[in-house]
Amino acid sequence: RKFSWPPKTCLEFGAGAALPSLALLHAGAQKVVFTDRYVNEQTFDALKLSIEKNALAWNIGEEEIGRRTAIAGHTWGEEIEILLKAVAASETNDADGSENENAQHVDLLIASDCIYNPTYHAALLQSASALIEPSTGFFIVGYSLHGNVPTSHVERFFTEAKQEYGLEVVHELVVEYSEGQMGIGSVDEERGNVYMKILACRDSVHCKDINS
């Protein structure tokens, strides 16, 4: 209710093929930051090509691509200040030329299929809590169960988010796919489910709405 759409600034963690970020670009987000762990230049070259090809299909010109998109290498929990500065630099001015009051913070964060390995939960939460716009921002976490660890270990992400980082679940849904996404060698029917939880800062307007 208190979230404008499309959001001004979005950032995706572990983007990979970056389908969520591309969808946000198509939806009209003013700035979309594609991030992933740096492995080699070829990975980011492929992502840049994907952005350009899709933007062309959507009649988004080269100048607009440069203004509305950014690609950044980011290892969760590391060099967060550098990423904050990169976001701030990309947000210095809104599309209309006015100064952006929320520089250094992101309206919408996305992590798609990023929490299957609990080893990296804390690092991802460190980055997310530092970047999210504290009053109105959302952090969307989409995931499926890979079967590599017990389900409870994956879901500890949300307990840690609340207890250690002040990020609370404000909405969630499950989409069940009876066929497909079973994984190689997997016989767990839950592997076909896709889960999504939306988090917001404890003191945000979203949590106040729920608690009021």
Side-chain angles (χ1 to χ4, degrees):
R1 187 164 55 88
K2 293 183 174 68
F3 188 80
S4 61
W5 189 266
K8 286 188 176 181
T9 307
C10 313
L11 183 145
E12 183 177 2
F13 296 109
L19 292 178
S21 290
L22 290 170
L24 286 163
L25 179 65
H26 184 245
Q30 289 187 15
K31 189 73 178 187
V32 184
V33 183
F34 301 70
T35 76
D36 209 338
R37 181 180 179 183
Y38 180 85
V39 177
N40 54 52
E41 286 296 331
Q42 286 77 12
T43 301
F44 290 95
D45 287 344
L47 181 54
K48 182 179 179 181
L49 180 61
S50 176
I51 295 170
E52 292 174 349
K53 292 292 186 181
N54 281 283
L56 179 63
W58 301 327
N59 295 317
I60 300 175
E62 185 175 343
E63 184 277 332
E64 188 175 348
I65 294 173
R67 175 168 49 82
R68 292 179 56 201
T69 67
I71 300 173
H74 176 59
T75 299
W76 305 334
E78 297 181 10
E79 300 182 334
I80 297 174
E81 289 299 321
I82 294 177
L83 186 58
L84 284 168
K85 290 179 181 178
V87 171
S90 69
E91 293 183 43
T92 300
N93 294 296
D94 285 336
D96 60 3
S98 62
E99 186 175 344
N100 189 337
E101 296 179 356
N102 293 329
Q104 291 195 14
H105 289 107
V106 179
D107 299 308
L108 180 62
L109 297 168
I110 295 178
S112 178
D113 204 26
C114 290
I115 66 170
Y116 59 88
N117 188 340
T119 303
Y120 301 107
H121 284 181
L124 177 55
L125 286 166
Q126 288 170 20
S127 293
S129 61
L131 288 163
I132 191 171
E133 206 295 308
S135 179
T136 59
F138 279 128
F139 178 24
I140 298 179
V141 180
Y143 64 101
S144 59
L145 301 174
H146 290 218
N148 57 311
V149 296
T151 300
S152 60
H153 291 197
V154 176
E155 294 180 342
R156 284 177 189 167
F157 177 88
F158 303 102
T159 302
E160 186 174 356
K162 181 176 181 178
Q163 294 179 350
E164 302 296 330
Y165 298 91
L167 295 170
E168 301 190 7
V169 175
V170 295
H171 186 70
E172 58 186 292
L173 63 85
V174 180
V175 179
E176 299 181 358
Y177 294 96
S178 59
E179 297 180 1
Q181 194 151 307
M182 295 297 290
I184 299 174
S186 174
V187 294
D188 186 352
E189 291 184 359
E190 288 190 341
R191 182 71 176 97
N193 296 347
V194 175
Y195 304 82
M196 185 184 75
K197 295 189 179 184
I198 302 176
L199 294 82
C201 293
R202 181 176 295 128
D203 295 328
S204 70
V205 293
H206 312 301
C207 289
K208 289 178 181 177
D209 280 350
I210 292 174
N211 297 325
S212 62

